[in-house]
Amino acid sequence: MTPAQTDSIDSLAAALQQTGYFADRRLATAVFLSLKLQRPLLLEGEPGVGKTELAKALAAALARPLIRLQCYDGLELREALYEWNYAAQLLHMRAKEGSADSAQIEREVYQERYLIHRPLLQALQTPAPGAVLLIDEVDRADEPFEAFLLEYLGEYQVSIPELGTIRASAPPVTLLTSNRTRELNDAVKRRCLYHWLDYPGRERELAIVQAQVPQARAELSQQVADFVARLRSAPFAGAFNRAPGIAESVEWAKALVALDTLTLDPEVVSDTAGILFKQREDVAALTRDFAAELLAPVEADSTPG
């Protein structure tokens, strides 16, 4: 696949749009600067606003492999960077028994061919033009893991005691995402460009739905974008634990098409609430009466002047 032109903010935004990702000007600028300055980009925002999807879209636009490191509580170095292939090392040691001294055997088993490469090491060793590395939900990892990331984020290198320092042959395009379940260390933030990613506005959400669900009629796509926008806005957002993300909007539109829905009505909204929400309380809150209120035309502002 040929990489798209990304030599300007506009061309980058257009390249992302070709993959189905609609970035606004500020987000496209942040990504463009990350590419130009070869700095990691930290994306924070509510779940479902498109942080992970941006990494996928960027990898597709740049025609580079996407390497993903999913973070979680208890993530260990051997799962993120490397571990030794102990079984292969043991076989080598047994084969060498009696034919070499112990020091020589030790040197032989701590060579890169006995190394199992995990995402960070894979990203560093991907040949030019390099990979796109997604360090997803870094806020779920322990604080010591953040400290471990500093060398990678600052210099695109890691240190392996038995082998020394391994530097990137081509700096990976690196995106970190955080749902802000906890505050990240300042040292991590200093090494990254930062962008807060919010829910899309109505027009951008409509464009996403139209691109992802072309089978939906124009009126239905507009209703989906309008309805989800109202769900996320005051005073309605306060009725739910979590607003629907972009992925939920797209899935909802697909479900409505599967149901041969032409226009929204309170009954179909209430019956399909489990696609928009993933918590029992939120699904129960979207009653038919509430849906009717959300679907009601917005009254024009009658304030004088």
Side-chain angles (χ1 to χ4, degrees):
M1 181 177 176
T2 304
Q5 291 292 324
T6 57
D7 54 358
S8 69
I9 297 171
D10 290 336
S11 63
L12 174 62
L16 290 171
Q17 190 168 322
Q18 286 294 317
T19 72
Y21 193 94
F22 292 76
D24 61 21
R25 181 76 182 181
R26 289 186 60 196
L27 177 58
T29 301
V31 177
F32 178 78
L33 290 175
S34 174
L35 295 176
K36 281 293 181 184
L37 302 178
Q38 295 188 341
R39 294 278 303 280
L41 176 61
L42 171 60
L43 297 165
E44 284 198 323
E46 297 293 329
V49 295
K51 303 185 293 296
T52 301
E53 290 304 313
L54 175 60
K56 297 178 183 176
L58 191 56
L62 298 176
R64 300 191 191 187
L66 174 66
I67 298 174
R68 180 173 181 169
L69 173 60
Q70 180 64 53
C71 298
Y72 55 89
D73 186 20
L75 177 65
E76 297 183 4
L77 181 65
R78 62 184 175 86
E79 298 164 293
L81 179 57
Y82 76 96
E83 65 179 316
W84 291 105
N85 187 338
Y86 296 119
Q89 287 177 316
L90 184 58
L91 287 173
H92 179 90
M93 292 168 65
R94 286 179 176 171
K96 290 288 184 175
E97 279 180 355
S99 62
D101 61 44
S102 59
Q104 181 182 343
I105 294 176
E106 185 174 347
R107 285 194 298 273
E108 290 174 352
V109 297
Y110 285 113
Q111 296 179 17
E112 192 161 346
R113 60 180 168 145
Y114 293 113
L115 210 56
I116 299 174
H117 298 64
R118 299 305 187 196
L120 290 180
L121 196 54
Q122 291 172 15
L124 289 175
Q125 296 188 318
T126 299
V132 173
L133 174 64
L134 169 63
I135 304 177
D136 210 9
E137 299 185 331
V138 66
D139 52 321
R140 293 187 181 277
D142 301 327
E143 291 186 17
F145 182 74
E146 283 186 54
F148 158 73
L149 281 178
L150 297 181
E151 184 181 12
Y152 171 86
L153 296 176
E155 300 167 72
Y156 293 117
Q157 67 178 38
V158 294
S159 298
I160 296 178
E162 299 87 352
L163 298 178
T165 300
I166 296 180
R167 295 182 176 83
S169 52
V173 176
T174 304
L175 275 70
L176 299 87
T177 73
S178 167
N179 295 329
R180 217 171 186 184
T181 57
R182 66 175 176 80
E183 190 71 21
L184 298 179
N185 192 299
D186 285 343
V188 169
K189 291 183 176 180
R190 281 198 303 273
R191 285 162 174 78
C192 302
L193 305 183
Y194 178 85
H195 184 80
W196 173 265
L197 195 54
D198 213 337
Y199 290 113
R202 187 264 184 193
E203 294 305 318
R204 192 156 70 91
E205 182 125 30
L206 175 59
I208 294 169
V209 171
Q210 288 176 326
Q212 299 291 329
V213 195
Q215 313 92 319
R217 292 163 59 97
E219 183 181 359
L220 181 63
S221 297
Q222 291 170 7
Q223 283 193 313
V224 167
D226 289 341
F227 189 86
V228 174
R230 294 196 76 186
L231 271 179
R232 295 175 185 149
S233 63
F236 304 109
F240 305 99
N241 293 308
R242 185 195 149 193
I246 299 172
E248 281 78 26
S249 297
V250 171
E251 285 300 310
W252 194 39
K254 290 179 179 177
L256 294 169
V257 170
L259 293 172
D260 296 325
T261 304
L262 300 180
T263 59
L264 293 181
D265 61 57
E267 183 177 2
V268 74
V269 169
S270 179
D271 290 348
T272 55
I275 299 172
L276 287 170
F277 297 107
K278 308 303 178 189
Q279 296 191 39
R280 179 182 176 184
E281 297 81 3
D282 289 344
V283 173
L286 191 55
T287 62
R288 292 184 184 183
D289 288 344
F290 196 5
E293 186 178 354
L294 284 158
L295 289 170
V298 179
E299 293 183 5
D301 187 357
S302 59
T303 305

